Every structure is written in structure tokens, then in C-alpha cells.
Amino acid sequence: MEERIVAPRAQDEDAAELSLRPRRLDEYIGQTKVKENLRILLEAARQRDEALDHILLYGPPGLGKTSLAYVIAAEMGVSIRTTSGPAFERAGDLAAILTNEQARDILFIDEIHRLNRVIEEMLYPAMEDFQVDFVIGKGPSARTLRMNLQRFTIIGATTRLGLISAPLRERFGVHYNLEFYDLEALLQIVTRSAGILKIAIDPDAALEIAQRSRGTPRVANRLLKRVRDYAQVRADGYVTLPVARAALALLEVDERGLDATDYKLLRTIIEKFGGGPVGLDTIAAATSEESDTIEDVYEPYLLQLGFLKRTPRGRVATPLAYAHLGIPAPDPPGQPRLF
């Protein structure tokens, strides 16, 4: 899949800008309800000098789950080790990490829904009883050795909460749902990032970038950097509203944050399938995309805008989608006559 400027998943350039990542909870913008609950959780754990309860963060990609995990570690004054579900190939990989965890340390597992079943079952006693079992030897002489672990915290992150098994999900004492950011929070993020990157930008231009950021901080920062590049080459480095609009037009990101891929998806549903309902696999075949990519990457924001509906029979384009594309919406079906 071609990398999109508005794609919510992390790209190489995002990892290079670690300076934009908040370091403390006061610097973390947005997600007000999550922060309020988290402050209480952190303060209570600090007062008792205990490890935090295991935390599960879920929501669409690009909303700051990894950043929040690092903020939690900084607030607790402990070390954090980062890995991902697909990185664990053998039970020994997990055992090696768990036995090296110190008291109150944090293990952050991204894409935790992609853990294989053997690794997942090994996590159960580690999370619940802080113990891990090793099998020594083979055949009739094999025996199990149980090792005690330090009381540590696992922070799991997922974009697919429904794919996490119930036994694993229940072992997380705290669940936080990260939602799309509102315009005010995105404006604060763009302004803060511009200050860190030393970008001269007008407030109106910052607002324009925020409006096209799809409710996602990662997209906001990426658009800001591309607008900065445009301003540097064609506008003496100063980002005004006309400069921002020209740069975003060149990037083919419209006023609602949609790009060519979003238009292709919507037009496929409307023009090829009469606006739906149409099944996900059919859309994937018609657009040459993977079903999981459409469901995880493309659809969430279109659903947020109200441009798509998920129904038991398939996806349906809404009148808002027709209006945005400038296509006349079909008349709603009339009430069938009885006679």
C-alpha cells in the first residue's frame, strides 16, 4: 500500500521527530477524560509506592497510545521497554523480557491483539500472579519450574479491541479509550509542534492545518512539516493562510482531510454499487485494497464524518458523502403501497 500523507499509522518520518512527543502529562494535549482518570491512578500508585495496575489503551491509530505510555512511565519515574505483539515468536522471547523487568517497570506491547496464543497464555500468570513457568527438559523427564517476577506493569495498545481474547482483556485492570481529537485540541498540537520545530506560522494557517488533520495528532504533525517545506521553498519560510492552503492543495488534502484514496473509496461505493449496501470484501476487490486496510485505516474517519454507515448488509454511502463529492443523492425509497 502506498504511504499516504494522511495515513494514521506510523511512518519512518514520524519516528524521526521524537521531539514532538509529550514527556509529561501536562504536555499531553486532548483526551481530557482519560487524563483525569489517569492522574488519580498515578497519584494513588505513587502514594502507595506500588506498580500501576495493567493498562489497556485502545482506539484508532495515530491518537497517541505510544506517547501516553511513555508519559505514564515518566510520571511514575520508571523504565519502559517497548515491543509489539508480532515481535514475540517463541515463549522464550517473552520470558527473557519478563524476568528482566524491575519493580514497577513498564512493558509496553503495541498491537497486543496480534500476540499468538502460546505467548498470550504465558502472560496470564505473569500479569495475575507475577510468576512465569519454564519447561525444563524434554519427554518423560521434563519438569516445570515456576519463577517469581517483580511487580511490573503491562501497558497494551490495540486498534482492534474486539480481537483481544476475553481472558487477556480481563487481566487489564484499567481500560482507556482514546478518541479522535476535536479541533481545539488539534490547534493546540499544531501550535505546540510549530514552536518546537521553530516554524513561523499564522494562527489562521495553524487552524487550517488542524481542520484537515482528520482528528489525528500524527497527521497534524505530518501536514505541518509538509507545509513548512512548501513555505521554505516558495514563501520565504513563513506560513500564512494562503501558503497553507496552496501546500495542502498540492498534497491533495481537501478541507475535510480527505485525500485521493478516500475519494476513490467513496466513488467506488457510489458509482459502482449505487451507494450500497455493499460488502467489505467486494469493496476491497473493486479498489485493489486489503479488507483489513479498508476497515482499520480508511473507514474510521469516514464513519466519524458520517460519510459511511456500517449495516448488517454492508457499507452504505450517506447523503453527506454525496454532497461532499458533488453527486446528486438518490431519492429515498418510498413507502410501498398496500394496494
Side-chain angles (χ1 to χ4, degrees):
M1 182 181 65
E2 181 182 354
E3 289 189 349
R4 306 158 63 210
I5 190 69
V6 295
R9 296 196 180 278
Q11 299 177 9
D12 292 341
E13 66 170 293
D14 303 317
E17 288 293 353
L18 295 179
S19 61
L20 300 182
R21 180 172 287 171
R23 291 173 171 81
R24 310 295 296 199
L25 201 56
D26 289 337
E27 298 176 9
Y28 192 95
I29 298 170
Q31 308 296 343
T32 304
K33 292 182 180 179
V34 171
K35 289 196 300 183
E36 288 175 357
N37 286 286
L38 190 54
R39 287 184 195 279
I40 296 173
L41 183 73
L42 292 169
E43 184 59 30
R46 285 193 294 257
Q47 289 182 8
R48 294 193 303 265
D49 195 26
E50 293 179 355
L52 288 168
D53 206 348
H54 302 300
I55 299 171
L56 181 62
L57 306 175
Y58 62 97
L63 299 187
K65 294 183 287 293
T66 302
S67 295
L68 189 57
Y70 277 91
V71 166
I72 292 171
E75 292 287 346
M76 289 294 293
V78 298
S79 298
I80 181 172
R81 182 174 301 195
T82 302
T83 185
S84 66
F88 294 108
E89 297 181 356
R90 299 179 302 274
D93 298 336
L94 177 62
I97 291 178
L98 294 180
T99 53
N100 284 318
E101 289 293 308
Q102 301 300 311
R104 302 196 305 154
D105 277 359
I106 291 174
L107 173 61
F108 175 66
I109 306 178
D110 198 11
E111 296 184 278
I112 196 168
H113 62 274
R114 295 178 63 186
L115 285 172
N116 70 51
R117 184 52 57 90
V118 174
I119 301 297
E120 183 179 314
E121 291 180 354
M122 190 176 184
L123 267 182
Y124 297 162
M127 296 176 70
E128 201 163 32
D129 303 320
F130 298 99
Q131 295 177 328
V132 63
D133 295 328
F134 295 94
V135 177
I136 300 175
K138 296 182 179 180
S141 62
R143 60 191 179 91
T144 301
L145 175 64
R146 174 159 288 190
M147 179 176 291
N148 292 325
L149 303 173
Q150 298 282 358
R151 289 190 168 269
F152 67 100
T153 298
I154 287 181
I155 299 179
T158 180
T159 57
R160 307 281 300 272
L161 182 65
L163 295 185
I164 299 180
S165 67
L168 179 59
R169 190 166 60 243
E170 290 168 359
R171 283 169 170 80
F172 287 95
V174 183
H175 295 194
Y176 291 137
N177 178 22
L178 273 62
E179 300 176 340
F180 284 111
Y181 285 62
D182 59 27
L183 183 58
E184 181 181 353
L186 285 170
L187 178 58
Q188 293 180 45
I189 290 169
V190 172
T191 303
R192 174 182 177 272
S193 298
I196 293 173
L197 297 174
K198 296 180 171 55
I199 300 173
I201 185 170
D202 283 344
D204 290 344
L207 180 62
E208 188 72 17
I209 294 172
Q211 288 174 333
R212 305 193 190 199
S213 298
R214 304 169 68 95
T216 307
R218 181 178 288 153
V219 175
N221 288 329
R222 202 181 294 147
L223 290 179
L224 174 64
K225 288 185 286 184
R226 298 289 73 78
V227 171
R228 171 197 60 185
D229 295 343
Y230 180 92
Q232 180 180 330
V233 173
R234 298 192 178 179
D236 299 325
Y238 191 79
V239 182
T240 62
L241 179 58
V243 169
R245 286 177 173 171
L248 293 167
L250 192 62
L251 294 169
E252 296 184 308
V253 178
D254 74 7
E255 66 277 4
R256 301 299 297 274
L258 304 188
D259 69 350
T261 304
D262 297 307
Y263 277 83
K264 177 183 176 183
L265 180 64
L266 291 174
R267 288 189 179 279
T268 297
I269 296 173
I270 291 172
E271 296 175 355
K272 292 185 178 181
F273 303 104
V278 56
L280 180 61
D281 291 339
T282 303
I283 298 172
T287 57
S288 301
E289 296 285 358
E290 297 290 336
S291 299
D292 288 347
T293 301
I294 294 174
E295 189 171 23
D296 295 344
V297 179
Y298 301 161
E299 281 190 347
Y301 185 63
L302 295 174
L303 291 167
Q304 180 80 3
L305 290 177
F307 286 0
L308 277 185
K309 288 194 302 184
R310 287 176 178 168
T311 73
R313 297 176 57 199
R315 274 54 174 176
V316 177
T318 68
L320 289 175
Y322 282 89
H324 189 74
L325 269 60
I327 300 174
D331 294 329
Q335 182 71 22
R337 296 184 177 183
L338 297 177
F339 304 102

